[in-house]
Every structure is written in structure tokens, then in C-alpha cells.
Amino acid sequence: MHSIPQRCARRPLSGGLVVPWVSLVHGGHAAFGSLDADRARTAFLRRLCQICGQPLDERCYLIVRPADAARGHSPEPALHPECLPYAAAHCPMLNGTATHYRRSPVLATHPAGRPCTDPSCPCPPRSPDQGHTARSGSPADRYEAWMIHTRTYRLLFTPDRPGAPTGISIDVPVLRRRLLRTATLTPVALSSSSDVACRWVWEAPCSTDE
């Protein structure tokens, strides 16, 4: 496992892991996998790393799935090149440990989702957002990290929410692409890929015999 990056030396830990700067923390509990909307917005607008919370340097990485590539933007704040390996090693979705997206939102059962006693606190909603609803229970996607130069860093917005970025444009020169994990194949896709491999890679009839 990757050691904690120097940039994250002062970040709080939970279960021995660095709490990303954009992670939701409520009631003293850090909810890994759930974003703090205000911090995510701040990270986008101020060009901060989603892990350490420090300003981005000359180059940064964007997390990109096939659906993001089709839409032309990465929906997450960027990362420093030195923070990416730590995130890729410890995030279950990025390291391949998680084979499917969660069926229920993180806060549905997490302690951070419980109402707190602070009357001024707008406790985080436990209902799923549109992104979770669309992915709920689906096989995990392919994840890549695309390096871009920060001079090409450009935010995208929707007309109805001009102050809330939808993501960072990937319609820019990409300096490097790094595969983080492959997609989880469904039984049908797995069977199909196996058949293709037998016919075109090995050039031999496919057989299930031991």
C-alpha cells in the first residue's frame, strides 16, 4: 500500500486512512465515498486537490469513466500527481475491490448520516442523488486518470446552476492516461469476451472442458 503523501501529513485520519478534503464529515464521522457539496464546489472553483485540499500545481489528474468521456467532463475535483497513487490504492472503487456500485447511498446506514444535536446544522440528506440512482447496483465502470496542464483547466456549468460547476472539461490536450481499474464484466459480457479471445487471440475452438 502507498504511504501517506507528504501533502496529506496534516490531514485527519479515519481507520488509519487519510480523510479526503472533499469527503463529507458530519457528527465527527467521515463518510468515505460521499462528497461534501460545498467543499467540492470550492475545490472546483479554487483549483484545489480533492485529497489534500491544497492548490493544484502545473499538472493535475482528472478521474474519468467512459460516461464522463462521452459527456466531455470529469465530475470530480482534480488531484495532485502525488496524491493520485494514494487514492488509487485505497479507494475500493479505484483499486478494483468494489465490483459494483452501492445499492443504497453511503449515508443511509453510515453514522455520518444521523441527525446531529446542533440546531444550526443543515444535516446532510440521506436520499440518493441522480448519479447514485442511475448507477445503483450496476457493475463498476472502467476508471482512468487523465493528466492535464492546469493552464487548460476549465470548468463547465449548466444554465440553471451558474455557480455550481458540473465538472472539469476534458476536451483539452491530455498529457498522460493511466488505467486505474478495468470495468466489471457482466456474465454475458464475460462470456462474449471469452469467446472472442478463444477465436481471435488463441485461434482455437472455445471449450469448457477441464
Side-chain angles (χ1 to χ4, degrees):
M1 287 293 181
H2 284 269
S3 58
I4 294 176
Q6 185 59 37
R7 289 181 182 274
C8 299
R10 297 187 178 182
R11 291 294 307 149
L13 303 179
S14 178
L17 298 178
V18 171
V19 177
W21 192 79
V22 297
S23 286
L24 177 69
V25 179
H26 180 249
H29 301 283
F32 291 103
S34 185
L35 292 181
D36 181 311
D38 290 336
R39 285 207 166 193
R41 177 176 176 274
T42 298
F44 277 132
L45 296 175
R46 296 185 181 178
R47 299 188 177 191
L48 306 179
C49 172
Q50 65 163 284
I51 303 300
C52 69
Q54 298 177 24
L56 298 171
D57 293 326
E58 184 179 9
R59 293 175 175 82
C60 63
Y61 270 108
L62 308 178
I63 303 299
V64 181
R65 300 165 300 163
D68 304 326
R71 286 191 287 263
H73 71 268
S74 171
E76 298 183 21
L79 303 86
H80 285 118
E82 56 266 49
C83 292
L84 173 69
Y86 183 83
H90 294 283
C91 172
M93 188 53 67
L94 297 184
N95 66 23
T97 302
T99 60
H100 290 71
Y101 291 103
R102 296 183 180 90
R103 293 190 176 277
S104 59
V106 175
L107 297 183
T109 57
H110 197 281
R114 299 170 186 165
C116 68
T117 57
D118 183 357
S120 65
C121 176
C123 296
R126 302 175 69 177
S127 56
D129 58 22
Q130 291 183 347
H132 172 81
T133 300
R135 299 188 299 267
S136 178
S138 299
D141 291 306
R142 176 187 177 94
Y143 278 79
E144 296 182 356
W146 293 13
M147 177 184 281
I148 66 169
H149 200 290
T150 48
R151 67 169 173 262
T152 64
Y153 182 107
R154 181 169 61 89
L155 295 176
L156 300 181
F157 300 83
T158 56
D160 58 325
R161 300 186 66 191
T166 57
I168 304 169
S169 174
I170 54 176
D171 187 20
V172 299
V174 178
L175 306 178
R176 182 180 302 170
R177 287 180 171 87
R178 173 182 172 182
L179 175 64
L180 300 179
R181 67 157 301 156
T182 57
T184 298
L185 295 179
T186 62
V188 173
L190 187 60
S191 174
S192 176
S193 64
S194 175
D195 180 61
V196 170
C198 286
R199 287 184 289 123
W200 299 106
V201 177
W202 299 107
E203 297 181 352
C206 190
S207 173
T208 58
D209 293 339
E210 295 292 330

